[in-house]
Amino acid sequence: MIYRYVITLLLFVGCYLPVRAQSDSISLNTLIERTGKMNAARPIEKVYLHFDKPYYAVDDTMWFKGYVSDNFHQASQLSKVLYVELMNSRDSLVKTLRLPVKNGVTTGSFPLPEGSYRQDNYHIRAYTKWMVNFDADYFFKKTILVGNAIEKQVNTQVSFTRTGSEKSLQVTTRVVYKDMDGNPLSNKKVNWEVSSNVDDVAKGRGTTDQSGALTISFTNNKQIDLTGANIVAIIDLGNRKTAGSTISLKPVLGNTDVQFFPEGGYLLTGVRGKVAVKALAASGLGTNFTGTITDNAGTVMANISSQHAGMGVFIITPEQGKTYKANITFANGTKGTYDLPKTQDAGFNVSINSLEGDNLSLKLSASPAFFAANKGKAFYLIAQSVGTVCFAAQTVLKEQVYSAVISQNKFPTGVVQFTLLSSAGVPLSERLVFIQHKDQLNLSLSSDKPLYGVRQRVKLAVTAKNKTAPVEGDFSVAVIDESKVPVDEDAETTILSSLLLTSDLKGYVEKPNYYFSKINEKTASDLDILMLTQGYRRFTYTDVIANALPQVTYLPEQGIEITGTLRTLNGMPVKGGNLRMLIPNRYFSANAVSNPEGQFKFTNLTFTDTAKVVITAKNNYNAKNLMLMIDGSTFPALPKNKLYPDEETNIDSTMHSYLLNSKKRLGSMQQIKEVIVRAPTPKGPSHTDYPALTGLSMMADHTVNADQLKSCSTLLLCLQGMLAGVTFENNNFYVSRDYNQGKKVPMSVFVRGMPVDVSYLASLNGADVESIEVFLRDELGLVNNAYQTNGVIVINTKVPPKGTKISLQDLQDMIPQPNVVNFTPMGYNISREFYSPKYDVPKPIGVDYRSTIYWNPRVSTDKTGTASLEFYNADGKGSYRAVIEGWDKDGNLGRFIYRYKVQ
């Protein structure tokens, strides 16, 4: 649908503004041509994930469908592989999925077993390797809450206050303890400690009052860096039972901030213009405010207030020689004074009113000084959406103010960037506008009955139309029990809010679906203010003018690729060497030949994540003097999470209904669980066996077991991409979170309780390792302080058998062959099937506690634009919510919500 804007582009060049050419400047046609070339050479990909519900509990499964689109929102023809990462609130990688993409879509899931997951704010990041070439801010990102109802005895409700300056910050935390039935845990003793990544900050003890509340207060007199700081509180429940909780201080550590965004980029002397205001609380969320704008003489120039999510707007005409400040009163009663950006005497701004029907009202305003210096010169106005130029015009500066009207029909739905440039191609002013044509697919769901009973069969009819014409489309459908899964629709991440809005913006957007769930004058006005406060930097006109394409490191993946180098034992590359790859359990083989640098590659492979791969160079002359080196997988660094405002401190209360249902479901399985828990398990070697490591936590942050290392011939190579939350760089391991923040202190490595150099791991075979324990923090600091390191990797080797004879062949098998590599590379994760019971037989014993009633990521409408679905209700009564999302082959997006009753 965007194609028609591109085709008609040149018809509009200069139609609205006077035109004059300048021989000493870059032409407008050249700008358009180079922008088109950049878009063609560096096409954009976007990713969106549709999840079955907004939050989960430990022992659940996250189900999702991935959509990979180009800049026209059509199925991408570039990448055939999608990566989806799951990280915890400490920005440590927990799990990475590699998924095959076909026709722009894929499906996947994250099981959340009890032993590997805990109650936390988890973060999802999804991208293709092609997207890694560009800014990671445009990856798909989402925060997902995971609660825990397994054997849980305590719920907490936390609130914060802070006082003092940065040098003597005082934080007061109120924690209310209740049991799982909502009764306050009064008169209970609590021991607490505040610790950061650097040092312990404070500790103490107290007793809960009659309401179950405890107040924890501390002052950071040592000025310790509180980044990543937590309160660890342990409550004594009596009868030798305790319960611990970890409370992140992240929501209270940020500063209240007020930012100002003049329309067009600058405050210009003598030019009347809009200024957007954005007020952020310490949590990173918008906060309401009121206030005034005054000049340096104290004269009130404007009254201001927040309109939505801490954002507001006011109009001002700056005067020469004057400065301005905002006097703000926040919703909590605190006050602050903030300076506005400095006024510029010379400048040229673009301002746009997008709220007047089907047209955009454009105004170009030059300050008196700029007009006097540049009168008669040529300027360009270019509007582009996701790298595609939709409108371009050229004008000569004859008047200080110029106005024009542009039809919105020239632009697609989504974010449009207007840029005012000099004739030399230098950007002078920028304005983002959101175009809303309401041209999404006309999707609908309808049921065969208005009212259902529990466990009754439901038939849903799907209809997809583009306006009135039926379309073939690819969709995903989720049905949930709203009584168990209450949903804040404004806070949802949807295919519309993601592909049309947040995927084109660098900044954090609070509750993005607010702008799409109910489209009216109020939400349109709020969205326009959001555009004033956001940045768009998918490409810069500086690169366009220089005809410089962004550097590309990764090509679009068409499948799994394994690369490496063939060398002689003395390190010389081997040209024309024969390599053979085998996947025994799939009866698959492939051949490759090394290039002059000894490099080889096997491309477009397809195998699962557990496949064992063998690569051999034995079919070469003098093969015994050859060695193979396999390249490790590379992944983008884990940056500091920018969606931290979406994190929830009070998961227990936020997910109360869901966790209550989860507890009932798990209770019905309790008998089976007790059998599993009581089953004897042999104790393997661990860090607790070595006195030098007893100061570490009893439980490692991450553990790698022996099964994952069976096919690893060189331990050092395998560990470079295997350890969650760890970065390997310059022959050292680092804690990723700290490394990305500039703290480049290596981790210490212990083998059998003894400290070793990292290079020693190259001599170890993965088959000899029982387990690897990763400690991202040394709570007591005994190891870190002794070895001046940050974090610990403990490698526990297998205990060799005693008195057992081995054959010569067994002995030879234990010696790695340099010309053969056995390993288990990262393959595709197997897509699981969502289980949906059928109740067309007599009622089974037990209660159906399902919260996700139905999940189908593969719904396709035929040429008539229809499809049908069938499933059975659970035992929950109330409102059931069905959501369908997806697209058609022309890039038209759609979303629809349908509800029905169960009694």
Side-chain angles (χ1 to χ4, degrees), residues 578 616-621 623 817 819-820:
N578 297 311
T616 176
K618 287 186 175 182
N619 190 25
N620 288 283
Y621 173 75
Q817 301 178 60
N819 56 8
V820 178

Side-chain angles (χ1 to χ4, degrees), residues 93-107:
L93 184 65
V94 179
K95 181 73 174 178
T96 299
L97 302 182
R98 174 186 266 171
L99 302 171
V101 176
K102 184 177 182 180
N103 297 326
V105 297
T106 186
T107 62

Side-chain angles (χ1 to χ4, degrees), residues 630-644:
I630 304 299
D631 298 332
S633 298
T634 57
F635 298 94
L638 296 176
K640 182 180 179 181
N641 174 43
K642 292 186 177 181
L643 298 185
Y644 72 89

Side-chain angles (χ1 to χ4, degrees), residues 45-66:
E45 281 190 321
K46 297 182 178 182
V47 171
Y48 167 69
L49 302 185
H50 178 198
F51 288 84
D52 63 304
K53 52 193 170 190
Y55 44 76
Y56 301 86
V58 172
D59 208 39
D60 283 350
T61 297
M62 291 184 190
W63 302 95
F64 64 86
K65 178 175 182 175

Side-chain angles (χ1 to χ4, degrees), residues 290-573:
T290 58
T292 60
I293 302 297
T294 58
D295 62 15
N296 48 348
T299 304
V300 176
M301 307 299 294
N303 293 312
I304 59 175
S305 62
S306 54
Q307 180 172 311
H308 171 71
M311 297 182 295
V313 66
F314 66 91
I315 296 176
I316 188 173
T317 304
E319 298 179 29
Q320 188 171 22
K322 287 192 175 183
T323 59
Y324 301 91
K325 63 182 179 180
N327 309 290
I328 303 291
T329 301
F330 299 100
N332 61 4
T334 60
K335 298 182 179 181
T337 300
Y338 303 87
D339 293 330
L340 266 65
K342 186 178 179 181
T343 301
Q344 293 194 7
D345 290 333
F348 199 9
N349 262 5
V350 57
S351 62
I352 298 174
N353 186 345
S354 61
L355 306 177
E356 294 184 355
D358 296 330
N359 295 321
L360 299 177
S361 296
L362 170 75
K363 185 169 72 172
L364 304 180
S365 303
S367 68
F370 186 91
F371 179 71
N374 295 276
K375 186 176 181 180
K377 293 183 179 180
F379 295 89
Y380 304 140
L381 181 68
I382 298 180
Q384 60 87 23
S385 178
V386 201
T388 301
V389 175
C390 303
F391 174 85
Q394 176 179 314
T395 185
V396 172
L397 187 59
K398 293 182 178 180
E399 303 291 340
Q400 191 173 334
V401 178
Y402 187 90
S403 299
V405 175
I406 305 174
S407 173
Q408 293 193 22
N409 290 330
K410 293 177 174 53
F411 310 99
T413 293
V415 178
V416 178
Q417 176 192 26
F418 283 82
T419 306
L420 180 64
L421 304 100
S422 70
S423 58
V426 178
L428 303 176
S429 179
E430 180 182 281
R431 171 70 151 97
L432 297 187
V433 175
F434 190 88
I435 302 296
Q436 176 59 272
H437 290 303
K438 300 181 182 179
D439 56 354
Q440 287 78 43
L441 287 178
N442 182 12
L443 288 180
S444 68
L445 294 171
S446 60
S447 56
D448 59 330
K449 297 179 181 180
L451 192 65
Y452 294 91
V454 297
R455 302 199 180 192
Q456 190 172 359
R457 183 169 62 179
V458 177
K459 294 183 179 180
L460 287 183
V462 180
T463 303
K465 296 180 180 180
N466 182 6
K467 295 182 180 178
T468 59
V471 295
E472 296 179 75
D474 195 334
F475 306 98
S476 44
V477 174
V479 182
I480 60 174
D481 181 348
E482 279 193 299
S483 65
K484 300 179 177 67
V485 194
V487 177
D488 180 355
E489 292 192 1
D490 289 347
E492 286 187 288
T493 301
T494 71
I495 196 170
L496 302 180
S497 68
S498 179
L499 294 185
L500 296 178
L501 181 65
T502 56
S503 62
D504 286 327
L505 302 177
K506 289 178 67 101
Y508 166 74
V509 178
E510 183 178 343
K511 295 191 175 182
N513 198 46
Y514 163 80
Y515 305 103
F516 296 89
S517 58
K518 295 178 182 178
I519 300 176
N520 51 42
E521 290 185 6
K522 174 66 166 62
T523 56
S525 176
D526 295 340
L527 181 53
D528 191 57
I529 297 177
L530 177 72
M531 292 295 97
L532 290 170
T533 66
Q534 292 294 320
Y536 184 110
R537 291 293 181 273
R538 278 197 178 273
F539 73 89
T540 66
Y541 282 101
T542 303
D543 292 337
V544 173
I545 300 302
N547 219 12
L549 295 175
Q551 184 178 355
V552 167
T553 304
Y554 305 98
L555 294 176
E557 290 182 301
Q558 301 304 300
I560 299 175
E561 185 176 276
I562 296 176
T563 62
T565 305
L566 178 65
R567 299 180 183 274
T568 61
L569 292 181
N570 63 5
M572 297 298 294

Side-chain angles (χ1 to χ4, degrees), residues 803-847:
T804 302
K805 294 183 179 181
I806 61 174
S807 65
L808 177 60
Q809 182 62 45
D810 290 335
L811 181 61
Q812 290 175 342
D813 290 342
M814 294 175 63
I815 303 174
Q817 301 178 60
N819 56 8
V820 178
V821 175
N822 295 272
F823 66 115
T824 304
M826 183 181 185
Y828 290 133
N829 293 85
I830 300 175
S831 178
R832 304 170 63 202
E833 291 295 325
F834 178 83
Y835 171 69
S836 184
K838 294 184 177 181
Y839 293 128
D840 49 0
V841 294
K843 182 176 180 179
I845 299 175
V847 180

Side-chain angles (χ1 to χ4, degrees), residues 24 45 57 147 171 261 398 409 415 417 639 673 765 820 851 866 887 900:
D24 59 345
E45 281 190 321
V171 177
F261 303 89
K398 293 182 178 180
N409 290 330
V415 178
Q417 176 192 26
K673 182 181 178 182
N765 191 307
V820 178
S851 56
T866 61
W887 58 25
Y900 64 89

